């Protein structure tokens, strides 16, 4: 049975009769491997401890001269008597002899964090070929191993696959056993060593999985091709948190591709789980594939291990044969079978797992199939080329590679023969699977009636469930509450044929997927619910049951669309908006505010905002959320907020809901960077920056300024900004970035004398007169002096300069009682105790 099927049986507490196996392994736990990367740069620009040499010797940092790309300088290497355990310069016979005189990028590092696997990667570049990597490691006892050559990895992720990582070229990961130091040489025959070279040192961590039982099944009944014992990802300690790529599926399986990992061959049985965790981390994270590349891996003891996530019985696409990953089942033998023969146990296990897979999809092991190359760096055939291949073929048949090695390739005929012997094509696909799996027969009970046929599918009823077959998905199991919900929803005619067996979902759940973009999820608390279409797509993008949780209902109608509830929220769909989630504090406020009838349906998902998230709704509302508050922004205030770039602009997130202004006449909302007021005449007006801060300092909505009569504008002379209020007051922003309030009699008199065109803009606030009798305010072309007895009087020009020279309010003239006015002699201004007259001949001061 598949891993998912066994897990589901554990959930439902159904006891099955299984084939006889060795004693169970200890309970494994997921382990997150750690990866330490050493950056080398390139031949042109080495970085860190990397050194460029041309004589095939590894040097410590600074000893060898870095060379320019294409140059071959003379390099003097000092003699050394350093013991081998701590070499300063170590001759590399293979590298120095094979590529002598070719620039090599090298590094030597001791005392690193303990690691057990090494891989070398570089920036993907189709023009860089024939890269040769040599390495050796220093054991925990201080001794250095022999040099090992690593060829570039011939496994390859599909181009354009949405892995979520930076896809890099590189070698296959090489298991070293526990080590503490590494030396690496990277060369290319033409000297064009790749760029951004990095050495990955991988520590797979420790798990109870490392005590994996080594014995093979002692008895397996073969009625057709039974599923062999396959150790699941959980059993070898895979940490699903580092998997950054959701599985990609194709319609069916057409062939099996046999590989080898090109790793070492002297590993122990107990080391295999750690080797797999290292390979998983290297493929998923260092290479940027998002997951391990192979569908299954077979070790030299004949044990089979689940590789890429997505279901062993499924059509999940691997990353094992560049250009030919789709429609193929990738089986990789753990080891380098170009240098040693393949153990018989490995050959048998490879054949057993392929026979089982072929039985699920009706693949004839005697036949051939036509595959279309997807292209890629390692493919032998250009993209779009149709290639006829045997249904069991080696990687070298489609890739520029020696994989699965000379010894491995020579055993493919034997693999095909065993697969043919295991296959029983006299039965239907449903009957073959039922006959091949004792546990399945025990679970389903006896057949009820004959096989039935629909348009493109077939099914067989059993006492406790059904098996469905389709040409694209093979034979799939549906039963229990999931089957009941499936039939109630219309079965294959509506949801399509099942494309997976029941598998575990989340904590204590199960699910089946169906061909027409649908799935049914079940838990004891939520029962079986159908999730489909755009709602399912959005739900999956949010983490499915690990994000919004399990579905608690089917789709139901709401004004303008449909919705489906989940344990942690809902997803709403409308033709105009698509599907978007609604959850948490945003959902609570939306519901309290009237839900779809008032705010409308969500027209976006949650969007990140400073300190929280926000979400837009179809009726012109925005709901914002932070850990401390949730607010609704709507109408004209929302329009002004959006015009000011919303949460990303100067206003930031709201600090209050929209409320009446304290003195009436309008509405307002406070924001982290200011406020917005609204009236039916002005619409929304933003008060931000220095002007907004000065308004707040003056009392804001509580002040006598009144509400703004319009938005902030440029001053008439273009030298600043101004916001005017209902009281006649205004706040001016100067070019220097200072905001000044202009109000009361001073503001009225300033306006009478031409405003900005007269005295200019204010450059100070109102200041107290030295005599304490009143106030004055400076402007760019003069000042305004005010007392209760004299009112506000402008003091400007030559008369103003003369007045200031006499001491202004401290002078014997006292305070101005008029503005300037025309007289026969010129211009005059009266003061409490005299006047100043400006004539063509100068200034005349008169004292009473």
């Amino acid at each position: 049975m598949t891993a998912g099927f066994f897990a589901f049986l554990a959930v439902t507490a159904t006891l099955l009769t299984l084939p006889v196996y060795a004693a169970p392994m200890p309970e494994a736990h997921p382990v997150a491997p750690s990866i330490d990367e050493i950056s080398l740069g390139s031949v042109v620009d080495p970085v860190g401890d990397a050194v460029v040499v041309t004589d095939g010797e590894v040097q410590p940092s600074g000893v060898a001269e870095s060379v320019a790309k294409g140059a071959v300088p003379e390099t003097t290497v000092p003699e050394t008597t350093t013991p081998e355990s701590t070499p300063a310069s170590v001759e590399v016979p293979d590298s120095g002899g094979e590529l002598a005189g070719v620039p090599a990028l090298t590094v030597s590092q001791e005392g690193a964090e303990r690691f057990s696997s090494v891989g070398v990667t570089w920036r993907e570049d189709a023009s860089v070929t024939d890269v040769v990597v040599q390495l050796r490691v220093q054991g925990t006892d201080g001794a250095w191993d022999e040099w090992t050559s690593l060829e570039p990895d011939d496994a390859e992720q599909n181009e354009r696959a949405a892995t979520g990582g930076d896809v890099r070229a590189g070698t296959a990961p090489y298991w070293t056993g526990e080590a503490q130091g590494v030396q690496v040489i990277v060369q290319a025959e033409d000297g064009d060593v790749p760029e951004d070279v990095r050495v990955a040192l991988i520590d797979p961590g420790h798990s109870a999985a490392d005590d994996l039982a080594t014995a093979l099944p002692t008895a397996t009944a073969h009625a057709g091709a039974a599923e062999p014992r396959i150790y699941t990802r959980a059993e070898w300690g895979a940490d699903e948190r580092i998997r950054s790529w959701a599985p990609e599926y194709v319609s069916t399986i057409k062939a099996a591709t046999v590989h080898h990992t090109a790793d070492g061959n002297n590993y122990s049985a107990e080391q295999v789980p750690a080797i797999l965790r290292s390979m998983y981390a290297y493929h998923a994270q260092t290479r940027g594939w998002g997951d391990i590349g192979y569908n299954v891996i077979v070790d030299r003891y004949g044990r089979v291990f689940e590789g890429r996530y997505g279901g062993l019985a499924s059509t999940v696409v691997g990353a094992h044969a560049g250009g030919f990953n789709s429609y193929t089942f990738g089986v990789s033998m753990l080891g380098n079978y170009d240098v040693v023969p393949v153990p018989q146990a490995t050959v048998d296990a490879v054949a057993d797992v392929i026979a089982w897979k072929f039985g699920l999809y009706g693949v004839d092991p005697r036949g051939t199939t036509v595959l279309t190359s997807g292209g890629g760096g390692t493919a032998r055939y250009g993209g779009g080329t149709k290639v006829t291949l045997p249904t069991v073929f080696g990687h070298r048949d489609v890739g520029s590679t020696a994989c699965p090695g000379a010894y491995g390739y020579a055993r493919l005929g034997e693999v095909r023969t065993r697969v043919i012997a295991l296959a029983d094509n006299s039965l239907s696909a449903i009957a073959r699977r039922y006959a091949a799996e004792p546990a399945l027969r025990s679970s389903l009970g006896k057949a009820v009636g004959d096989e039935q046929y629909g348009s493109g599918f077939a099914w067989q009823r059993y006492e406790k469930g059904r098996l469905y077959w389709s040409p694209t998905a093979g034979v799939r199991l549906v039963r229990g509450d999931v089957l009941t919900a499936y039939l109630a929803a219309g079965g294959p005619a509506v949801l399509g044929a099942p494309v997976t067996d029941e598998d575990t979902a989340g904590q204590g759940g199960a699910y089946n997927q169906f061909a027409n973009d649908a799935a049914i999820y079940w838990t004891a608390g939520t029962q079986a619910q159908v999730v489909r279409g755009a709602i399912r797509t959005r739900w999956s993008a949010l983490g499915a049951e690990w994000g919004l949780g399990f579905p608690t209902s089917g789709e139901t109608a709401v004004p303008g669309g449909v919705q489906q509830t989940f344990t942690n929220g809902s997803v709403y769909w409308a033709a105009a908006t698509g599907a978007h989630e609604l959850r948490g504090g945003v959902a609570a406020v939306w519901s309290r505010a009237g839900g779809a009838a008032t705010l409308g349906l969500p027209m976006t998902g949650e969007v990140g905002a400073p300190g929280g998230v926000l979400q837009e709704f179809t009726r012109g509302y925005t709901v914002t959320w932070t850990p401390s508050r949730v607010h609704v922004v709507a109408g004209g205030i929302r329009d002004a907020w959006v015009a000011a770039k919303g949460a990303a602009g100067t206003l930031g997130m709201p600090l209050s809901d929209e409320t009446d202004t304290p003195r009436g006449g309008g509405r307002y909302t406070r924001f982290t960077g200011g406020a917005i007021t609204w009236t039916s005449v002005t619409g929304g007006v933003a008060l931000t920056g220095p002007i907004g801060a000065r308004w707040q300092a003056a009392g804001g909505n509580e002040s006598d300024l009144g509400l703004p009569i319009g938005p902030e504008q440029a001053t008439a002379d273009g030298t600043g900004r101004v916001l005017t209020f209902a009281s006649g007051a205004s706040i001016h922003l100067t070019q220097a970035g200072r905001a000044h309030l202009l109000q009361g009699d001073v503001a009225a008199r300033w306006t009478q004398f031409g405003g900005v065109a007269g005295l200019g803009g204010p450059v100070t606030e109102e200041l107290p007169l030295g005599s304490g009798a009143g106030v004055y305010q400076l402007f760019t072309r003069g000042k305004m002096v005010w007392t209760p007895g004299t009112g506000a009087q402008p003091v400007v020009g030559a008369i103003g300069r003369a007045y200031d020279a006499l001491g202004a309010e401290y002078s014997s003239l006292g305070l101005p009682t008029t503005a300037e006015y025309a007289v026969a002699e010129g211009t005059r201004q009266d003061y409490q105790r005299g006047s100043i007259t400006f004539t063509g001949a100068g200034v005349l001061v008169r004292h009473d």
Side-chain angles (χ1 to χ4, degrees), residues 6 237 311 363 379 445 460 494 829:
F6 279 129
V363 181
Q460 173 67 58
V494 176
Q829 185 167 19

Side-chain angles (χ1 to χ4, degrees), residues 51-356:
V51 174
V52 177
V53 300
T54 57
D55 56 4
E57 292 188 352
V58 178
Q59 300 290 341
S61 178
V63 172
E65 175 186 359
S66 292
V67 298
K69 185 176 182 180
V72 185
E74 295 182 0
T75 305
T76 301
V77 182
E79 295 183 0
T80 177
T81 57
T82 306
E84 182 173 340
S85 61
T86 56
S89 173
V90 181
E91 186 177 357
V92 186
D94 291 342
S95 176
E98 182 180 355
L99 298 179
V102 177
L105 189 61
T106 74
V107 71
S108 179
Q109 187 170 109
E110 301 179 51
E113 294 290 333
R114 297 293 175 91
F115 60 91
S116 297
S117 185
V118 181
V120 179
T121 67
W122 50 86
R123 184 177 303 149
E124 200 164 55
D125 184 347
S127 67
V128 176
T129 58
D130 299 320
V131 178
V132 176
V133 176
Q134 296 191 69
L135 67 84
R136 70 174 186 169
V137 299
Q138 183 185 41
T140 56
D141 60 356
W144 289 86
D145 291 344
E146 296 296 321
W147 286 93
T148 299
S149 294
L150 302 184
E151 298 296 329
D153 196 353
D154 46 29
E156 187 175 47
Q157 178 65 283
N158 277 356
E159 291 186 4
R160 298 179 298 279
T163 60
D166 177 20
V167 177
R168 295 174 58 79
T171 69
Y174 183 77
W175 178 258
T176 63
E178 192 169 18
Q180 64 181 7
V182 66
Q183 292 182 332
V184 176
I185 300 174
V186 183
Q187 289 181 294
E189 289 187 3
D190 59 1
D192 193 15
V193 176
E195 296 183 351
D196 189 19
V197 177
R198 304 177 198 169
V199 178
L201 307 179
I202 307 165
D203 177 7
H206 298 282
S207 168
D210 299 335
D211 296 324
L212 197 66
T214 61
L216 295 175
T218 57
T220 301
H222 279 290
E227 179 185 8
R229 171 67 163 105
I230 302 176
Y231 291 97
T232 67
R233 290 168 65 94
E235 286 179 301
W236 53 261
D239 184 357
E240 300 300 350
R241 293 172 296 182
I242 72 171
R243 177 172 50 82
S244 61
W245 183 49
E248 177 187 357
Y249 297 94
V250 288
S251 58
T252 192
I253 295 296
K254 298 181 179 181
T257 314
V258 180
H259 306 256
H260 71 163
T261 64
D263 214 320
N265 298 291
N266 59 351
Y267 54 84
S268 68
E270 292 78 11
Q271 289 177 321
V272 172
I275 295 173
L276 296 180
R277 293 196 299 273
S278 298
M279 185 184 302
Y280 174 35
Y282 182 73
H283 283 179
Q285 297 178 295
T286 308
R287 296 296 301 277
W289 295 351
D291 196 1
I292 197 169
Y294 308 109
N295 295 112
V296 296
I297 300 96
V298 180
D299 70 10
R300 68 192 183 108
Y301 305 98
R303 297 177 302 176
V304 184
F305 297 85
E306 179 183 14
R308 177 152 287 207
Y309 180 86
L312 283 164
S314 74
T315 62
V316 64
V317 177
H320 54 87
F324 293 85
N325 289 322
S326 298
Y327 306 103
T328 60
F329 180 60
V331 182
S332 189
M333 301 177 290
L334 187 61
N336 186 344
Y337 295 110
D338 206 32
V339 296
V340 299
V342 186
Q344 187 62 44
T346 303
V347 173
D348 292 347
V350 168
D352 290 352
V353 74
I354 291 175
W356 166 72

Side-chain angles (χ1 to χ4, degrees), residues 566-577:
F566 300 86
T567 52
N568 298 325
S570 302
V571 176
Y572 289 79
W573 175 90
T577 63

